[in-house]
Amino acid sequence: MNRLTEQQWAILKAHEDRNYVEAVREDIVRDYPWLADDPRLSGWLNEAYARTKELGFTHDGPTVDFLYLEATTPGFYLLPAIAAWLDKPGASGEQRFEMLLQVTRKKQQEQKEDH
């Protein structure tokens, strides 16, 4: 049985990550066609995906949500308040991101109800 070297494994994993991000990018472009011609989109998404890994994301749902938010609000996770929240100890970055989305959705719903 052949075994992959660490370098081969890293190359394979990097290729898999790029394919994952590209698949999500295709979904984003389908949902937001106006992003299709933006040459920066893939770069933004790859950087955001790398950040999800740094934050310890393990589930596809929050990862995809993170990438969608990055597509429509580039660099959102770099804003000081959001970066501090995601890095705050006590919960994983993934859990904190999901909390952020819940609060955002709740506020949007309240705004709709007020109008």
Side-chain angles (χ1 to χ4, degrees):
M1 175 185 255
N2 291 334
R3 294 193 180 244
L4 295 175
T5 66
E6 284 187 38
Q7 182 181 13
Q8 290 169 323
W9 178 250
I11 291 168
L12 184 62
K13 181 66 176 135
H15 183 70
E16 180 181 287
D17 289 349
R18 279 191 306 276
N19 285 343
Y20 179 86
V21 172
E22 181 56 29
V24 174
R25 183 195 166 286
E26 289 173 7
D27 290 343
I28 290 168
V29 168
R30 181 197 63 227
D31 294 341
Y32 302 101
W34 53 271
L35 289 170
D37 294 329
D38 193 328
R40 303 167 295 175
L41 182 59
S42 290
W44 292 336
L45 295 178
N46 281 304
E47 289 175 22
Y49 183 74
R51 185 65 178 129
T52 66
K53 294 302 174 192
E54 292 169 2
L55 290 167
F57 281 39
T58 57
H59 298 95
D60 283 339
T63 301
V64 170
D65 288 342
F66 197 95
L67 296 178
Y68 263 78
L69 187 54
E70 175 62 13
T72 58
T73 312
F76 80 92
Y77 61 92
L78 301 172
L79 297 170
I82 293 176
W85 171 253
L86 293 174
D87 287 326
K88 187 176 179 178
S92 73
E94 183 176 57
Q95 290 170 321
R96 290 198 175 278
F97 177 68
E98 288 179 310
M99 287 184 246
L100 178 69
L101 287 182
Q102 289 173 354
V103 168
T104 301
R105 289 177 181 140
K106 177 80 172 154
K107 285 184 178 187
Q108 287 174 339
Q109 184 61 35
E110 289 171 355
Q111 287 176 346
K112 283 181 183 178
E113 291 171 0
D114 288 342
H115 292 131

